[in-house]
Amino acid sequence: MRTVAAWLAAASVLCAQPAAAPDVSSRIREEAEKRSQVMKHLHVLTDRYGPRLTGSPNYEAAARWAAAQLSAWGLANARLEPWDFGHPGWSNERAAGHFVAPVRDALVFEVMAWTPSTNGAARGEAVLLAPPASPSKEELDTWLQEHAGRIKGRIVLLGKPREIPVSFSAAQKRLDDDAVKRRLEARGGPPMRAPAPKPEPGKLSPQQVSAAIDAWLVSSGALVKVLDSGMPHSTIRAFQNRTYDVTKSVPAVYLRNEDYGRAARLIESGEKVEMEFEIANRTHPGTTTWNVLADIPGSDKPGEIVMIGAHLDSWHAATGATDNATGVAVMMEAVRLIQALQLKPRRTIRIALWSAEEQGLLGSKHHVQANYGTFEQPKPGFENLVAYLNLDSGTGRIRGASVFGPEEAAAMVRTALEAFRDAGVAGTAPSSSRREGGTDSTSFSSAGLPAIGFFQDPIEYFQQTWHTNLDTYERAVPEDLRQASAVIAAVAWHLASSEERLPRFTRETMPAPVHAEPPVTQ
């Protein structure tokens, strides 16, 4: 992902055009500043319906609440668009864990999604096992056979604890000291996970190793699988059993690095470590999930659609505030602003809230495939979508936009954003990437449809709140969400009310499609 600073430098060379209808933008900004409800939306999405893991009762309840709220504001045809997720839902209802011996203390952890419950309290000796790195099948089979007798009735810690350097950044800010600088340089950068290397020929992928170990743990009678969160300050990122089948995994947790390290050191010093976990998870039958859609009908070109959207689903370790209840709250507030001001767009403005973004952009991909097709194989509605606007980078204020389309398309969006120059919005840059992954806008651009992604200040995002147990309402910045709501509303209004449509790539200039790659989730 391009840094905000790099993007701003690039965008600054693009000339701005005078803004059209500045009075509308001013009215939108005034409504957003003086009568905003964006934090109210965020409160409901997080405190009442968070977390919103796809397939869970919380997700369905949040989707139904959003549709009802949009309808109450006067949007037309507020609806749930069903599609087949292909997996049952899952939720964690409660979980507790403790050191039992040689010390007694509470453990801090998050449950891995789509794993089973313990059978009551699962108490046993903890063993520390480090699987071989990048093994061949034969090497992994040998390792599994060597350790098979050690795990029945045991709690298995997989992997050595990650050593995370202590940060000296605060000291550096206070002291301009060569010794501090040398210590910082020696310790390297921030403690972020490096991308997993591609396996060598003849070696198993990390996914293949994980699947083989999971099957081994199940067949050998392990009680609980414990993974190191590998992050500092009790931060935990929690994901899922990739099979989505609870019978193919033992109960599994991500333990905070501080507890994992403590357990490992005790075991390695010769102590007999005992732990206890009691976990209650629930699987929800049925594989249907829903996107949420609603319209502000266009006055004279209702068949042409300007769509704004964000993903409604979240991970389960926290309440899913910055990923992505902030985006949903902003998009809901944007249509509320337009309705409150009784603005009547020429084209239809549609809000879309997506399911299963976290599992691979699945909700938006389903919608695009079902309604639009691709540039190469278009469906009848392909030409009807004027633009899709997406927000999915946390609580930070909007600084600019990237438009999948020619420079003329970027210039048109730049015109709408010019009214927000004093609010820190720098401009717009064109994009020709059809690579899928990262967020829902790429479900559209990969199909050759005009998609607009917004650059935001990365406040506490990738190193703190993204997919972690820290992603809560408290991490949102109200003034930034008010600014983002006004920006989205103004751009949507501009595109829906302009005489000309947002320009597209032509058949001669359309970039070639790119083979899909999995979105980055870990």
Side-chain angles (χ1 to χ4, degrees):
M1 178 176 287
R2 212 175 192 183
T3 65
V4 172
W7 181 85
L8 289 174
S12 66
V13 303
L14 301 174
C15 60
Q17 299 180 15
D23 57 321
V24 173
S25 294
S26 297
R27 292 174 62 198
I28 288 172
R29 290 183 68 171
E30 181 180 13
E31 177 71 18
E33 284 297 322
K34 295 184 177 179
R35 290 170 288 278
S36 175
Q37 295 184 25
V38 70
M39 296 307 291
K40 177 182 177 182
H41 315 329
L42 185 69
H43 154 66
V44 176
L45 289 163
T46 57
D47 298 334
R48 180 60 182 87
Y49 295 120
R52 303 171 304 283
L53 191 67
T54 294
S56 69
N58 272 15
Y59 178 84
E60 181 178 350
R64 295 189 183 281
W65 168 80
Q69 184 62 78
L70 294 166
S71 182
W73 290 334
L75 274 75
N77 196 22
R79 59 207 182 273
L80 300 184
E81 176 185 65
W83 60 277
D84 187 6
F85 178 45
H87 309 291
W90 179 95
S91 60
N92 169 250
E93 295 187 345
R94 58 185 175 276
H98 295 83
F99 279 113
V100 178
V103 296
R104 302 184 70 84
D105 205 350
L107 297 170
V108 177
F109 65 95
E110 296 293 339
V111 177
M112 180 183 288
W114 281 280
T115 57
S117 306
T118 57
N119 185 14
R123 179 172 176 172
E125 182 179 352
V127 295
L128 178 67
L129 301 177
S134 301
S136 65
K137 184 178 186 304
E138 294 74 19
E139 290 168 338
L140 182 61
D141 287 345
T142 298
W143 183 85
L144 296 176
Q145 291 169 8
E146 288 176 353
H147 295 281
R150 297 184 61 192
I151 65 172
K152 182 177 178 60
R154 303 288 177 83
I155 292 170
V156 182
L157 281 66
L158 280 176
K160 295 288 187 180
R162 184 162 186 260
E163 295 184 10
I164 301 174
V166 173
S167 172
F168 281 73
S169 58
Q172 187 181 34
K173 290 176 182 177
R174 291 193 301 269
L175 301 172
D176 185 16
D177 187 289
D178 288 341
V180 172
K181 292 178 182 178
R182 286 196 299 272
R183 294 179 75 184
L184 280 164
E185 292 168 359
R187 286 179 170 271
M192 294 291 287
R193 290 187 185 275
K198 293 184 178 180
E200 301 173 15
K203 302 292 187 179
L204 298 175
S205 69
Q207 290 77 17
Q208 290 172 317
V209 171
S210 178
I213 290 176
D214 281 344
W216 175 69
L217 292 171
V218 171
S219 63
S220 301
L223 290 179
V224 180
K225 177 175 77 171
V226 181
L227 300 176
D228 180 9
S229 71
M231 298 185 73
H233 312 307
S234 299
T235 306
I236 301 171
R237 283 200 172 109
F239 296 101
Q240 84 276 32
N241 163 22
R242 291 178 182 271
T243 69
Y244 298 90
D245 184 344
V246 298
T247 68
K248 294 182 179 179
S249 174
V250 298
V253 303
Y254 298 89
L255 189 62
R256 70 172 175 174
N257 177 255
E258 295 85 350
D259 286 339
Y260 196 97
R262 183 183 188 185
R265 290 188 295 273
L266 286 168
I267 292 170
E268 291 173 339
S269 68
E271 298 274 9
K272 181 180 178 180
V273 175
E274 291 187 28
M275 292 177 169
E276 180 180 278
F277 289 92
E278 187 168 8
I279 300 167
N281 299 327
R282 185 179 295 275
T283 300
H284 305 283
T287 61
T288 298
T289 187
W290 302 269
N291 299 321
V292 182
L293 304 169
D295 298 336
I296 300 175
S299 59
D300 58 295
K301 296 185 177 184
E304 297 184 7
I305 309 297
V306 174
M307 186 183 297
I308 68 174
H311 71 88
L312 181 59
D313 69 306
S314 76
W315 284 109
H316 58 291
T319 56
T322 67
D323 192 20
N324 186 26
T326 49
V328 173
V330 164
M331 293 302 180
M332 291 183 69
E333 178 68 0
V335 293
R336 190 201 69 79
L337 293 171
I338 293 170
Q339 289 292 89
L341 294 172
Q342 299 182 351
L343 300 174
K344 303 298 181 185
R346 300 180 66 191
R347 300 177 179 89
T348 294
I349 295 176
R350 176 168 296 163
I351 182 172
L353 308 178
W354 310 116
S355 180
E357 188 269 359
E358 300 294 5
Q359 285 69 48
L361 318 181
L362 301 183
S364 58
K365 285 169 65 175
H366 164 83
H367 183 82
V368 169
Q369 291 164 5
N371 294 277
Y372 304 113
T374 67
F375 181 81
E376 291 72 25
Q377 295 181 308
K379 293 196 172 180
F382 188 84
E383 293 299 327
N384 295 340
L385 186 72
V386 174
Y388 170 70
L389 287 63
N390 191 72
L391 199 69
D392 185 20
S393 293
T395 190
R397 67 176 48 209
I398 289 174
R399 294 299 184 181
S402 173
V403 182
F404 178 76
E407 166 54 29
E408 294 82 1
M412 187 172 181
V413 175
R414 197 176 308 130
T415 297
L417 290 175
E418 181 65 17
F420 296 88
R421 178 184 288 265
D422 66 312
V425 181
T428 307
S431 169
S432 60
S433 174
R434 290 185 68 179
R435 187 174 300 280
E436 177 189 293
T439 190
D440 291 300
S441 58
T442 66
S443 295
F444 291 80
S445 57
S446 65
L449 290 161
I452 303 171
F454 290 89
F455 295 93
Q456 297 173 257
D457 290 337
I459 297 174
E460 296 186 344
Y461 193 56
F462 286 110
Q463 291 188 34
Q464 284 85 31
T465 64
W466 179 68
H467 298 173
T468 77
N469 58 328
L470 305 184
D471 191 11
T472 63
Y473 177 95
E474 286 75 14
R475 307 272 56 82
V477 180
E479 55 268 31
D480 288 4
L481 299 186
R482 291 195 295 269
Q483 182 254 22
S485 303
V487 169
I488 296 294
V491 174
W493 168 258
H494 180 84
L495 297 179
S497 302
S498 296
E499 187 68 30
E500 302 297 326
R501 287 173 53 122
L502 186 72
R504 291 188 177 196
F505 286 119
T506 65
R507 185 163 298 278
E508 293 72 27
T509 60
M510 174 64 71
V514 177
H515 292 298
E517 294 183 358
V520 176
T521 59
Q522 294 198 49

